[in-house]
Amino acid sequence: GAGVSQSPSNKVTEKGKDVELRCDPISGHTALYWYRQSLGQGLEFLIYFQGNSAPDKSGLPSDRFSAERTGGSVSTLTIQRTQQEDSAVYLCASSPIGLAGGRAGELFFGEGSRLTVL
Amino acid sequence: SQQGEEDPQALSIQEGENATMNCSYKTSINNLQWYRQNSGRGLVHLILIRSNEREKHSGRLRVTLDTSKKSSSLLITASRAADTASYFCATGGSEKLVFGKGTKLTVNP
């Protein structure tokens, strides 16, 4: 497709289970971001990938959260031993321009994955 | 933190009126962006203004940037019911793009 694709769109899980959220960015976009949005709140930065550089993981809230980006394209966000406070919408965005040289470009967002931890 | 903070948190106006939302940030930036989010959807980019620009227009949108005050405003003229959404500013420097908490705009028909 032409846009950023995220799956699943909705995920309900039990506390303590692991979940994987997937993001397919727009083809050719070198930068990929994960954000978390709690109900009625702003976006909380989680992690940023840019090309082959080491990812910026400074926003990951705990070591239960991890993410990888394979082949510079698809990314997977994994949350281990989920907790109720992990319930949120997880948004992925990609951009054709990375932050190298201080140029933050326009982000293209997916529709998000809504995670509910019971 | 470079986090932008929008105000007001919520704004309710009548169709046809103008809507103004403000964003303040804390550190120097290379650019500032405004995004829109319809309920339950992803964010859509509206406009980007660079640190050396003071004003930018796009259709019914007008964005201003005052780097001395570290603030920006988004003006939507002749609002429509379809403009009902949350609006976020995002600041980018040499680090990650950081979003504020947004202004929830309701345009009543």
Side-chain angles (χ1 to χ4, degrees):
Chain A
V4 176
S5 177
Q6 291 188 246
S7 61
S9 54
N10 278 287
K11 176 72 176 179
V12 179
T13 190
E14 293 180 347
K15 178 181 173 181
K17 300 283 189 181
D18 297 352
V19 297
E20 282 190 355
L21 307 176
R22 177 187 168 104
C23 174
D24 281 275
I26 293 173
S27 178
H29 280 193
T30 57
L32 187 148
Y33 298 75
W34 282 98
Y35 291 89
R36 177 168 73 173
Q37 186 176 32
S38 300
L39 186 63
Q41 298 297 308
L43 275 69
E44 176 189 4
F45 168 80
L46 296 178
I47 189 168
Y48 162 68
F49 295 91
Q50 168 56 19
N52 296 320
S53 301
D56 177 350
K57 303 180 181 180
S58 60
L60 295 178
S62 77
D63 58 8
R64 296 186 296 105
F65 288 72
S66 63
E68 61 178 25
R69 188 178 184 191
T70 53
S73 180
V74 172
S75 177
T76 302
L77 176 69
T78 301
I79 308 173
Q80 296 178 311
R81 305 180 302 281
T82 52
Q83 304 294 312
Q84 289 184 330
E85 60 263 29
D86 299 335
S87 296
V89 175
Y90 289 82
L91 291 163
C92 175
S94 69
S95 174
I97 301 173
L99 295 178
R103 299 171 60 210
E106 172 185 350
L107 300 190
F108 295 79
F109 280 84
E111 294 294 321
S113 292
R114 180 177 297 279
L115 174 66
T116 303
V117 182
L118 302 177
Chain B
S1 168
Q2 294 180 345
Q3 184 177 25
E5 293 186 4
E6 297 90 343
D7 93 276
Q9 291 186 345
L11 180 61
S12 181
I13 60 173
Q14 296 300 122
E15 209 165 23
E17 293 180 341
N18 295 342
T20 299
M21 289 158 270
N22 303 296
C23 170
S24 59
Y25 57 92
K26 296 178 181 177
T27 62
S28 61
I29 59 172
N30 287 341
N31 67 63
L32 185 144
Q33 304 180 35
W34 284 91
Y35 287 78
R36 164 195 168 126
Q37 183 181 35
N38 284 23
S39 181
R41 307 296 298 274
L43 279 73
V44 175
H45 180 265
L46 294 176
I47 197 165
L48 181 154
I49 185 166
R50 302 193 185 283
S51 59
N52 61 353
E53 297 175 311
R54 291 296 168 259
E55 188 170 312
K56 202 161 182 179
H57 296 255
S58 177
R60 293 183 296 112
L61 305 181
R62 174 180 164 242
V63 169
T64 62
L65 179 64
D66 186 336
T67 53
S68 66
K69 295 181 180 178
K70 292 186 170 57
S71 67
S72 172
S73 67
L74 170 67
L75 168 68
I76 304 175
T77 60
S79 64
R80 306 167 182 168
D83 294 329
T84 294
S86 291
Y87 293 82
F88 295 88
C89 68
T91 51
S94 58
E95 300 174 353
K96 54 192 172 285
L97 203 60
V98 179
F99 287 79
K101 295 186 177 182
T103 292
K104 186 170 183 178
L105 173 65
T106 302
V107 181
N108 301 298

